[in-house]
Amino acid sequence: MSTRDALLLSLPADGRIPGALRAPIEGVSIAHYLVVEAAQLDGLPVPAVLEWLGVPRRAFARAEELWSERVADALGGEDGGFDALYEDVIGRALSLWARAVDPLDREFGAWMTFQRHALEADDPGELARRAGLTRGDELRLARLWRGRLVEAEPEIVALAEAAMSGPLAPLPALTVSPFVFPPPEERP
């Protein structure tokens, strides 16, 4: 089973999904909707994403506004339970077509320097766009480093704290690989 199929099949069965999000609309599931939403963060062409998902364009067009409203309501819910699931699913979808962003995805110092520049920028999003990054790239990188830091040795955490307080280094030069879409099918 491909990673895409595993993601699409696992979400409807997830007990954390509010009842209003469980039933498909026009044959479009919440998983389909969130994969398209993630793809839009990277500027991927929606028709190609829908074809890859096996979702007819007309069905998605009829369902999209309703899904947008339902997801917004769930994210604005008082218990906040859907927020973590939403972030997880968007992150997993973004990982399906991830691309290399050298050195931000492999060098901790470069990542911390980029983050410091973003914190000091008047418009952090513009800084990322000028560097050739999409909003999806930013979310992927944040998720990558958050995961690495959770499992990091205390020395790495100390380096992170030092990197945030020392003199600001120049912004690293980035090499951003193109997206590969549709992503190659993975079979376990």
Side-chain angles (χ1 to χ4, degrees), residues 38 95 119 173:
S95 72
L119 288 172

Side-chain angles (χ1 to χ4, degrees), residues 16 18 20-21 30 33-34 37 67-90:
R16 300 175 291 170
L21 302 179
I30 181 65
Y33 174 79
L34 293 177
E37 191 166 297
W67 272 126
S68 294
E69 291 170 8
R70 289 182 184 181
V71 168
D73 289 346
L75 288 170
E78 292 187 22
D79 70 357
F82 181 65
D83 296 10
L85 176 64
Y86 176 85
E87 183 180 323
D88 178 54
V89 173
I90 293 291

Side-chain angles (χ1 to χ4, degrees), residues 36-88:
V36 171
E37 191 166 297
Q40 289 175 323
L41 292 171
D42 283 322
L44 297 176
V46 172
V49 175
L50 292 173
E51 182 179 330
W52 179 66
L53 290 170
V55 173
R57 288 184 200 180
R58 287 184 179 181
F60 189 80
R62 290 188 302 267
E64 185 176 21
E65 187 174 335
L66 287 171
W67 272 126
S68 294
E69 291 170 8
R70 289 182 184 181
V71 168
D73 289 346
L75 288 170
E78 292 187 22
D79 70 357
F82 181 65
D83 296 10
L85 176 64
Y86 176 85
E87 183 180 323
D88 178 54

Side-chain angles (χ1 to χ4, degrees), residues 11-161:
L11 188 58
D14 194 308
R16 300 175 291 170
I17 298 175
L21 302 179
R22 291 188 183 148
I25 301 170
E26 299 283 336
V28 177
S29 72
I30 181 65
H32 292 127
Y33 174 79
L34 293 177
V35 169
V36 171
E37 191 166 297
Q40 289 175 323
L41 292 171
D42 283 322
L44 297 176
V46 172
V49 175
L50 292 173
E51 182 179 330
W52 179 66
L53 290 170
V55 173
R57 288 184 200 180
R58 287 184 179 181
F60 189 80
R62 290 188 302 267
E64 185 176 21
E65 187 174 335
L66 287 171
W67 272 126
S68 294
E69 291 170 8
R70 289 182 184 181
V71 168
D73 289 346
L75 288 170
E78 292 187 22
D79 70 357
F82 181 65
D83 296 10
L85 176 64
Y86 176 85
E87 183 180 323
D88 178 54
V89 173
I90 293 291
R92 287 190 286 156
L94 288 169
S95 72
L96 294 174
W97 53 81
R99 64 181 178 169
V101 180
D102 188 46
L104 298 184
D105 56 3
R106 61 180 181 77
E107 291 180 20
F108 183 68
W111 171 245
M112 293 305 296
T113 298
F114 187 84
Q115 288 301 293
R116 285 197 56 203
H117 278 273
L119 288 172
E120 294 194 16
D122 290 334
D123 183 353
E126 178 59 26
L127 173 75
R129 284 187 297 281
R130 280 194 328 262
L133 302 180
T134 65
R135 182 69 183 127
D137 288 323
E138 292 179 82
L139 292 172
R140 257 189 305 281
L141 288 164
R143 181 179 167 100
L144 171 75
W145 285 107
R146 191 171 44 247
R148 288 178 180 171
L149 288 174
V150 164
E151 299 175 7
E153 300 293 322
E155 301 84 40
I156 299 294
V157 175
L159 283 172
E161 292 169 355

